Amino acid sequence: MTTINNARRRFMIQSGLGLLALSGMPSFLQAMEAMKEMPRILARKANPNFKADVEFDLYCKPSKVSILTGAETQVLQYSAVLKKGPKETLVDIPSSYLGPIIRLQKGQKVRIVLHNGLSQVSVTHWHGLHVPAEMDGHPMYAIDSGGTLVYEFEVLNRAGMNIYHPHPHEATAKQVYQGLAGALFVHDEEEDKLELPTGEYEIPIVIQDRSFDEQNQLKYVRNKHDRMLGFYGDRILVNGQSDVRVDVASRAYRLRILNGSNARIYKLAWDDGTPLTVIGVDGGLLEQPEVKAYVMLAPGERLDVWADFSGRRVGSELILRSLAFSGVLPSMAQGMGNMMQANALPVGSDYPIFKVRVTQSVSDSPKLPAKLSSFPRYHTKDVANPEKPVPIAISESPMAMLLNGRAYADNDFQEFERIKLNTLQLIEIFHAHGGMGMGHKGGGMGMMGGMMSMAHPIHLHGQQFQIISRSVSSEKASDYETVRHGFIESGLKDTVLVMPGESVRIIKPFQDFKGVFMYHCHNLEHEDMGMMREFLVE
Ligand code: C2O
Ligand code: CU
Ligand code: CU
């Protein structure tokens, strides 16, 4: 049903036949009302009045790359051709299926023309960027095979690492898995002044997991567990390569880490006990560095790490690992002895991500700035709804992964999903009692709720938010102990990992742009199962 609606809506937007196409549909009135606010993209053309500083063509199409020894792997891949702007805007990652690194400056006006060279519909979303709703890559704008879509926006974000990836309805997970994703960096003056490591000393680290068959081809979802729990590969790739070793000089580096996996959650730490020095998260630099024994990184989240190899001998090695932790998968699923036990790389086990080797000794290294940035803090006293947080109730059952009691549907805004423009909203993300209903929390967790409950990285489109508080139910406290020191609350975020039994309060601004902004689980299999809803900012 939702598929049909969505296809219709696209047709209707593109053809301008909206009202005719919709007549007779049960959601007629509702849809018509929302239609008034919907921009008609009508084969959206470039706007001649939009004076772009940067302009490029972005292609997505099938390709072949060498990942494992032997046969090449068929993938889907982004590529880009710069038409206007600084040549550093686009940087290819050699022999990787990942799309080129896109580097933008705050304040730039950007025009991107997406060309769909896939055999299926697609649309690209700029995860982390604050752009108008119609430029955000909502599934309603998905274009058919052979189609093009023009995006035009000004870069309003502060410096930070963002992601671009497909967002078509019910096909995001598969398209990302097959290779469609890339890193998008924004830079600004505040960041420039810090003189952080750049060039070869600033290294993107995109962590993904994949499974391959004997012919070196990607294997994807095999059964309903793979959907319900999310798909977990048995091999870690970094920037699209396996068994990665990064050669470094004995000085400080800036590692720009992104969890680009569909479902896998990592607990990142250096293997020799050196703490991780974190200088930024999803929404850019922290005010000051945070030193952590380990950091949790869920799909969609980013981490900016200061890695200082000064004083290390040539030939010495250091490994970034994912350490053991527990509790992110449902205890029931584990009890059933499902595929997770069969996976060569069980979730929450201890395994290496990549290796660093010091190959060159240098005497000079930049120093870590004590103060990194400043940004506005949000306070509960400034929110529009201090007594009535907007709920994001997570519920999961073998049949359905839901937010606020409903699966994704077009133009299906519940009262609290309508948000007044230019307000700050208090939002509470929590597990709904027993996996049922919405909007109210039970005291304890029902038997089913407790056993089915799993971790979900909840992502909200639009502006970055601030985490206000986290609390966890006593039933889940011991599992939670294995992850609790791995969260960073001092920075701006767009994705937050919500553990079983956990409630998280955030404050999020809804400024500048009216329209539809999605919120969903960034476990991409969950997203495609309908664990996605939208806010209508009006
Ligand atoms: Cu990275 Cu709506 O997603
Ligand atoms: Cu996003
Ligand atoms: Cu989820």
Side-chain angles (χ1 to χ4, degrees):
M1 188 61 190
T2 50
T3 315
I4 295 166
N5 274 342
N6 213 58
R8 279 205 184 209
R9 180 146 154 217
R10 281 196 301 118
F11 168 72
M12 164 184 112
I13 289 167
Q14 285 164 356
S15 63
L17 291 176
L19 298 183
L20 272 177
L22 268 172
S23 61
M25 290 180 66
S27 55
F28 173 57
L29 287 176
Q30 220 184 351
M32 200 172 79
E33 198 199 334
M35 282 268 312
K36 283 185 267 168
E37 285 133 334
M38 283 298 156
R40 308 294 171 83
I41 54 174
L42 210 63
R44 196 162 79 202
K45 290 274 188 307
N47 170 5
N49 297 321
F50 182 88
K51 299 283 175 243
D53 305 303
V54 171
E55 195 169 339
F56 59 89
D57 283 308
L58 184 65
Y59 300 88
C60 51
K61 54 175 184 292
S63 172
K64 275 185 177 181
V65 293
S66 171
I67 302 174
L68 307 178
T69 40
E72 287 187 315
T73 305
Q74 293 184 3
V75 295
L76 301 178
Q77 186 169 32
Y78 281 116
S79 60
V81 177
L82 189 66
K83 291 198 289 203
K84 183 178 183 193
K87 65 176 191 316
E88 324 63 89
T89 303
L90 299 172
V91 183
D92 285 324
I93 307 179
S95 59
S96 172
Y97 58 74
L98 291 177
I101 293 170
I102 301 174
R103 287 194 189 270
L104 301 174
Q105 299 290 330
K106 182 177 182 175
Q108 273 176 337
K109 289 184 156 184
V110 185
R111 177 179 293 123
I112 302 168
V113 184
L114 176 69
H115 300 258
N116 182 2
L118 311 178
S119 56
Q120 49 188 295
V121 302
S122 195
V123 64
T124 297
H125 163 56
W126 323 102
H127 177 135
L129 291 190
H130 176 41
V131 296
E134 60 273 23
M135 300 297 163
D136 191 45
H138 189 285
M140 76 171 106
Y141 297 106
I143 47 172
D144 291 318
S145 175
T148 59
L149 180 64
V150 179
Y151 295 85
E152 290 165 331
F153 55 83
E154 180 179 340
V155 180
L156 300 176
N157 283 58
R158 59 201 293 265
M161 183 184 203
N162 302 282
I163 319 165
Y164 62 102
H165 66 72
H167 220 300
H169 187 45
E170 293 174 334
T172 297
K174 190 155 190 222
Q175 291 186 8
V176 171
Y177 185 76
Q178 290 179 307
L180 291 174
L184 188 161
F185 293 99
V186 173
H187 298 288
D188 66 10
E189 273 177 29
E190 184 184 47
E191 179 194 45
D192 289 347
K193 285 203 192 102
L194 296 172
E195 299 186 341
L196 297 170
T198 57
E200 62 180 298
Y201 306 116
E202 182 192 20
I203 305 178
I205 302 282
V206 179
I207 308 172
Q208 297 175 306
D209 58 338
R210 294 292 184 267
S211 282
F212 296 86
D213 66 16
E214 289 75 40
Q215 283 76 47
N216 286 353
Q217 301 311 305
L218 290 168
K219 285 196 296 190
Y220 189 52
V221 169
R222 290 150 297 187
N223 53 41
K224 72 171 192 295
H225 290 302
D226 287 351
R227 273 185 211 292
M228 210 184 86
L229 304 176
F231 184 80
Y232 299 90
D234 50 16
R235 195 183 267 272
I236 298 298
L237 304 183
V238 168
N239 299 339
Q241 295 291 312
S242 98
D243 301 307
V244 165
R245 192 185 84 195
V246 180
D247 291 345
V248 300
S250 59
R251 53 159 282 156
Y253 282 74
R254 185 179 184 193
L255 305 180
R256 313 295 303 266
I257 305 175
L258 154 63
N259 183 349
S261 311
N262 279 32
R264 188 176 286 271
I265 297 166
Y266 303 94
K267 177 178 177 176
L268 301 175
W270 294 116
D271 71 331
D272 70 346
T274 303
L276 278 166
T277 302
V278 178
I279 61 172
V281 289
D282 308 352
L285 293 166
L286 306 179
E287 288 177 320
Q288 59 228 8
E290 274 202 48
V291 176
K292 307 287 281 184
Y294 62 87
V295 179
M296 300 305 298
L297 199 68
E301 289 187 303
R302 289 85 79 199
L303 207 58
D304 201 341
V305 168
W306 178 272
D308 194 349
F309 309 113
S310 303
R312 288 185 185 262
R313 277 178 301 104
V314 169
S316 61
E317 292 183 341
L318 192 63
I319 294 171
L320 189 77
R321 299 188 71 85
S322 185
L323 303 182
F325 59 95
S326 56
V328 305
L329 291 178
S331 43
M332 195 165 80
Q334 277 161 357
M336 291 184 319
N338 67 31
M339 48 78 66
M340 288 319 301
Q341 267 69 34
N343 189 303
L345 212 60
V347 176
S349 62
D350 182 320
Y351 49 85
I353 307 283
F354 70 97
K355 185 186 278 185
V356 173
R357 174 183 268 175
V358 180
T359 55
Q360 196 198 344
S361 164
V362 295
S363 52
D364 213 27
S365 177
K367 291 282 162 289
L368 174 63
K371 170 121 182 61
L372 296 164
S373 74
S374 59
F375 49 86
R377 310 300 301 186
Y378 305 128
H379 301 285
T380 314
K381 66 173 172 32
D382 304 318
V383 303
N385 59 337
E387 309 299 335
K388 243 182 122 213
V390 174
I392 299 184
I394 294 168
S395 57
E396 63 261 279
S397 80
M399 305 314 298
M401 296 287 181
L402 306 175
L403 292 179
N404 287 325
R406 299 195 193 179
Y408 178 72
D410 266 350
N411 297 322
D412 178 32
F413 306 106
Q414 301 176 71
E415 197 44 45
F416 53 79
E417 290 172 320
R418 294 173 168 265
I419 307 274
K420 201 159 169 292
L421 180 69
N422 291 330
T423 56
L424 271 183
Q425 297 284 333
L426 179 64
I427 299 176
E428 180 162 16
I429 313 171
F430 57 94
H431 293 262
H433 177 61
M436 299 292 288
M438 46 125 309
H440 59 211
K441 286 187 290 181
M445 313 188 58
M447 175 78 151
M448 267 301 276
M451 290 196 327
M452 277 302 302
S453 192
M454 59 180 290
H456 302 273
I458 302 298
H459 168 53
L460 288 78
H461 284 222
Q463 273 165 301
Q464 308 283 339
F465 54 78
Q466 187 180 312
I467 297 171
I468 300 303
S469 64
R470 314 179 80 117
S471 62
V472 72
S473 68
S474 52
E475 289 95 327
K476 296 291 177 185
S478 64
D479 283 336
Y480 196 73
E481 264 321 297
T482 67
V483 302
R484 72 174 302 148
H485 299 295
F487 301 115
I488 295 165
E489 263 103 70
S490 61
L492 294 171
K493 299 278 295 168
D494 58 50
T495 306
V496 59
L497 178 59
V498 182
M499 293 292 291
E502 190 173 36
S503 297
V504 180
R505 285 192 163 211
I506 64 173
I507 295 179
K508 179 176 155 66
F510 291 83
Q511 290 160 327
D512 306 318
F513 305 123
K514 289 187 178 179
V516 177
F517 290 92
M518 292 176 282
Y519 63 98
H520 59 87
C521 183
H522 219 281
N523 175 314
L524 298 180
E525 283 72 31
H526 290 177
E527 174 187 336
D528 283 349
M529 280 178 79
M531 204 170 199
M532 175 159 93
R533 298 285 308 165
E534 41 196 30
F535 290 120
L536 177 63
V537 182
E538 52 189 1

